[in-house]
């Protein structure tokens, strides 16, 4: 084919995959799908979609993961095994992409236990989801983690990790306790986002 025809063919397939993922995400979005569609069609997103960049897949999978998680939280019927498998695959693919996208996995922790087949199955699924994501992320960033541990100190990293896990567990517990109180849940999400931003800022400053 030659260089330029292959370049255009690759960019065309890249845009097609992006549009397919975003169409799926918009179709499953339970809240204001038009807003998600508008975000997908922003110039920066479309520019990344039609080029050779890993951001094409990352953006598409991120939007799809968010949409499926929100749909699973909102729906009254149990989440199918196929949907759970898709969430596991998306989480495993997003984990090694960029560190900031790992935070999206916390959305799956908000899926009610009854939607996952009961308390035990819910705990097993969420542990599996977090475990798979952590292992994939660690496998892709092992050298960076070793460098950070050597530069910052093992005890500081361990304390920060423990504090982060404890904070996530506390937020999930409070979220369940505030069921039926949307205003308090909104403030809880804002507080959690603020604490997460402060934690990341402290880590970057220490680096």
């Amino acid at each position: 084919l030659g260089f330029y025809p292959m370049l255009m063919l690759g960019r065309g397939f890249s845009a097609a995959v992006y549009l397919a993922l975003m169409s799926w995400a918009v179709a499953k979005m339970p809240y204001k799908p038009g807003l998600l569609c508008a975000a997908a069609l922003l110039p920066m997103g479309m520019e990344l979609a039609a080029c050779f960049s890993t951001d094409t897949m990352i953006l598409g999978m991120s939007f799809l993961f968010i949409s499926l998680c929100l749909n699973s939280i909102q729906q009254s019927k149990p989440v199918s095994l196929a949907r759970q498998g898709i969430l596991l695959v998306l989480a495993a693919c997003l984990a090694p992409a960029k560190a900031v996208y790992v935070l999206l996995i916390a959305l799956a922790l908000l899926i009610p236990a009854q939607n996952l087949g009961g308390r035990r199955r819910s705990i097993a699924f969420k542990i599996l989801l977090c475990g798979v994501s952590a292992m994939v992320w660690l496998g892709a960033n092992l050298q960076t983690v070793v460098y950070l541990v050597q530069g910052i100190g093992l005890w500081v990293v361990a304390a920060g990790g423990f504090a982060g896990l404890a904070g996530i567990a506390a937020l999930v517990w409070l979220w369940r306790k505030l069921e039926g109180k949307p205003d308090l849940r909104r403030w809880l999400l804002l507080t959690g986002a603020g604490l997460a931003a402060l934690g990341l800022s402290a880590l970057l400053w220490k680096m």
Side-chain angles (χ1 to χ4, degrees), residues 51-127:
C51 67
F52 284 117
S53 172
T54 56
D55 290 324
T56 301
M57 294 295 295
I58 293 173
L59 288 176
M61 290 188 298
S62 297
F63 277 112
L64 181 58
F65 186 84
I66 293 172
S67 180
L68 291 178
C69 283
L70 293 178
N71 187 279
S72 300
I73 294 171
Q74 184 269 342
Q75 70 181 23
S76 56
K77 59 182 181 180
V79 179
S80 64
L81 291 178
R83 170 77 63 84
Q84 295 179 35
I86 292 171
L87 289 175
L88 283 172
V89 172
L90 289 174
C93 292
L94 286 173
K98 292 182 180 178
V100 67
Y101 292 101
V102 178
L103 300 177
L104 292 177
I105 296 170
L107 279 175
L109 302 179
L110 302 178
I111 301 175
Q114 61 268 23
N115 289 5
L116 293 171
R119 182 177 179 83
R120 290 184 178 180
R121 290 186 178 182
S122 174
I123 293 175
F125 170 75
K126 292 170 183 177
I127 291 176

